[in-house]
Amino acid sequence: MTEQQTTQSVTPTATRHVTPVATSPAGQSTPQPADGDQRAVVTGASSGIGAATVRALVADGWHVVALARRAERLNALAQELGDAVEPIAADITDESSTQAAVETILAGGPVKALVNCAGGAIGKDPVATASIDDWRAMYELNVLGTLRMTQKLLPALKKSAGTVLIISSTAGIEPYEGGAGYCASKFAERVMARVLRLEMIGEPIRVVDISPGMVHTDEFSMRRFHGDAAKAAAVYAGVPDPLKAEDVAECIRWALDQPDTVDIDSIVVRPRAEGSYTKVFRK
């Protein structure tokens, strides 16, 4: 589950030095990481797992490019965390927007990691009546957006012996009724990660897939049910201690923290109360 809202704040534990800003070809000013800083790009960074990941990586000493559509949220995150965060507003479902963002990113220096957090579920209708537009939107964001960012940054990641990390979902492992569109898109993301891993054998690059189960945040279910607060709340009703965005962010931080020669192929992470999508303990 991705693109979820988090409210917890993490204070960076390391003091970072950032050299004076440089101007990219697109005319934007971008902070330049100091020598020795590792630089990560996090998509979907305006909320949920993406925002929690930005906080976790900054606290671990990374310089982070925070990428999302909502500029005001990115700017607030950058104000909270300081010069270690470079906010870039972009829509990864749009080719020209993504290309401009990538040009700005590459003008700012090397990239060591790409964390593909952007994604989400839309609707929970049976196959017989599901909206084609909902399916299309999920594929554009979850699959093609991830593919677009990965393709554009792969050459830079090879140069830095970097990592492509994809946040998929347990929905990409076990399908469930009403979830065909979302499950199909997350199956596709998991397959993309696995095939890329095979294709990159012999190259100095890691490919990691992290599949979260139930993560309780504000935006994921609200978006899925088109703003219906009652339906969104029912997803988590009675479930003790579902995952938080910070739990998934810690998995991301840990995977990236391993030596460059150690590839964490796949992590499946769920709350203790969830054995599977259809086997959840509720009080």
Side-chain angles (χ1 to χ4, degrees):
M1 297 182 180
T2 54
E3 195 66 17
Q4 304 169 341
Q5 176 66 26
T6 178
T7 57
Q8 182 170 334
S9 174
V10 178
T11 301
T13 59
T15 300
R16 310 281 302 213
H17 170 71
V18 179
T19 57
V21 298
T23 301
S24 74
Q28 300 182 27
S29 294
T30 59
Q32 301 297 294
D35 291 343
D37 284 356
Q38 293 194 111
R39 193 160 173 254
V41 177
V42 177
T43 70
S46 63
S47 66
I49 294 171
T53 298
V54 174
R55 294 185 174 101
L57 293 183
V58 167
D60 207 35
W62 288 76
H63 180 95
V64 181
V65 179
L67 191 74
R69 290 176 298 176
R70 294 177 288 189
E72 69 285 355
R73 291 200 176 197
L74 294 177
N75 290 333
L77 193 62
Q79 184 174 11
E80 171 193 339
L81 299 175
D83 288 342
V85 175
E86 177 187 338
I88 298 180
D91 181 356
I92 66 168
T93 68
D94 180 85
E95 174 62 24
S96 60
S97 178
T98 306
Q99 182 60 35
V102 168
E103 289 174 6
T104 299
I105 291 166
L106 296 179
V111 177
K112 183 67 174 177
L114 166 62
V115 183
N116 290 291
C117 286
I122 307 173
K124 198 179 178 186
D125 300 310
V127 171
T129 58
S131 164
I132 295 279
D133 288 338
D134 285 352
W135 277 55
R136 181 180 294 110
M138 285 187 283
Y139 266 80
E140 287 285 352
L141 179 58
N142 299 341
V143 184
L144 299 183
T146 295
L147 176 63
R148 182 176 284 117
M149 287 298 300
T150 300
Q151 286 181 335
K152 291 181 183 299
L153 287 176
L154 199 56
L157 291 165
K158 287 181 181 179
K159 290 180 181 178
S160 66
T163 303
V164 175
L165 193 149
I166 292 175
I167 301 299
S168 61
S169 170
T170 54
I173 301 172
E174 48 194 19
Y176 53 86
E177 291 172 289
Y182 182 60
C183 291
S185 71
K186 289 299 177 176
F187 266 93
E189 270 194 306
R190 283 176 53 82
V191 170
M192 187 192 314
R194 182 57 186 154
V195 172
L196 182 61
R197 172 83 167 100
L198 296 174
E199 293 171 347
M200 289 294 105
I201 291 297
E203 298 282 357
I205 196 161
R206 302 185 298 179
V207 182
V208 179
D209 169 61
I210 297 181
S211 301
M214 181 182 287
V215 184
H216 188 186
T217 57
D218 294 336
E219 290 195 358
F220 181 85
S221 289
M222 284 291 285
R223 182 180 185 188
R224 172 167 231 170
F225 294 111
H226 303 286
D228 189 320
K231 287 184 178 180
V235 172
Y236 312 104
V239 179
D241 302 313
L243 295 178
K244 304 182 297 295
E246 291 77 17
D247 298 322
V248 182
E250 173 57 19
C251 293
I252 295 167
R253 186 209 62 77
W254 177 81
L256 293 179
D257 194 46
Q258 301 310 300
D260 286 349
T261 54
V262 176
D263 195 297
I264 307 301
D265 284 6
S266 178
I267 296 175
V268 176
V269 55
R270 311 177 198 257
R272 185 174 60 188
E274 182 188 27
S276 71
Y277 185 84
T278 57
K279 184 70 172 180
V280 179
F281 173 72
R282 299 179 188 270
K283 291 182 179 179

